[in-house]
Amino acid sequence: MSPRTTDHAPTPATPLGRREALRRLGVLAAGLAVGCTPLRIVLKTYPDGFDRDLDLGERVLRAFVTAVVPGVPADDPDLVRVFSDPYYPFARYRAFFASDLCRRAEERFGTEAFDRLTLEQRTAVIRDGLGADATTRKLYTGAVFLAQIATYGAIYDDARGQPLIGFEGRYRFRGFADLTYPDPERFLARSLSGDGNPT
């Protein structure tokens, strides 16, 4: 009796089509992007309203700066200018950073309106970001330092200075009375007579 043969031989795996490969890569990337900050930035997997609506981003960033720089006036026209200044590399992450603040506010307090949270709530959201993954920590730490340097250093208005730290700003001539003593002769040595006695 000959061994029985099966009609069902294993079929070779069909090659993955280009469209299917792209679909699978897209799903994988989307899955990774949910938890991976660099991918979320590169793939722009945050609400595009933060790229389009500059007022929204500005409100969120103003709320951020007033939380990390105590006493700064919220209506200062240059308060968040540094975040969109092309001279600094942070400008390309501005929209993502604002969206991340709102996302963390939603997760922690049930509202994505970061700018409407109390100071204590905003501080808690910022602490969350500072305690997140390494890339997010760098982003938040950079934002804090940038806000503080721009504010305390008065980089956009050096003439005005910064009253929060007693920095008067650019030098201004205030008259000779501020440069001299009212009785400078008191600093001079006493005059002596020809025989060496004080006169």
Side-chain angles (χ1 to χ4, degrees), residues 97-146:
F97 180 66
S99 75
D100 196 67
L101 286 167
C102 292
R103 182 182 64 80
R104 290 178 189 280
E106 171 75 32
E107 288 174 0
R108 190 171 177 101
F109 298 107
T111 175
E112 59 182 28
F114 175 81
D115 54 310
R116 293 194 187 134
L117 298 177
T118 66
L119 176 59
E120 292 75 20
Q121 291 172 326
R122 282 180 280 143
T123 303
V125 169
I126 295 165
R127 279 196 186 123
D128 283 349
L130 289 168
D133 62 88
T135 303
T136 304
R137 266 198 316 272
K138 284 182 186 175
L139 188 65
Y140 273 70
T141 302
V144 170
F145 284 144
L146 199 56

Side-chain angles (χ1 to χ4, degrees), residues 21-157:
L22 289 173
R23 188 189 71 75
R24 289 186 186 182
L25 284 173
V27 169
L28 176 64
L32 288 172
V34 171
C36 183
T37 301
L39 277 176
R40 285 173 52 219
I41 294 171
V42 170
L43 297 175
K44 293 198 171 197
T45 58
Y46 56 88
D48 63 352
F50 288 95
D51 282 316
R52 287 185 287 105
D53 187 352
L54 297 180
D55 288 338
L56 171 62
E58 175 143 342
R59 285 195 314 270
V60 171
L61 292 173
R62 280 183 177 278
F64 169 78
V65 174
T66 56
V68 298
V69 184
V72 69
D75 59 349
D76 182 342
D78 292 325
L79 189 65
V80 296
R81 180 175 169 186
V82 71
F83 293 117
S84 55
D85 189 332
Y87 180 79
Y88 301 101
F90 192 91
R92 74 187 92 146
Y93 307 114
R94 179 183 190 271
F96 170 78
F97 180 66
S99 75
D100 196 67
L101 286 167
C102 292
R103 182 182 64 80
R104 290 178 189 280
E106 171 75 32
E107 288 174 0
R108 190 171 177 101
F109 298 107
T111 175
E112 59 182 28
F114 175 81
D115 54 310
R116 293 194 187 134
L117 298 177
T118 66
L119 176 59
E120 292 75 20
Q121 291 172 326
R122 282 180 280 143
T123 303
V125 169
I126 295 165
R127 279 196 186 123
D128 283 349
L130 289 168
D133 62 88
T135 303
T136 304
R137 266 198 316 272
K138 284 182 186 175
L139 188 65
Y140 273 70
T141 302
V144 170
F145 284 144
L146 199 56
Q148 291 174 340
I149 289 167
T151 303
Y152 293 133
I155 64 174
Y156 293 112
D157 191 355

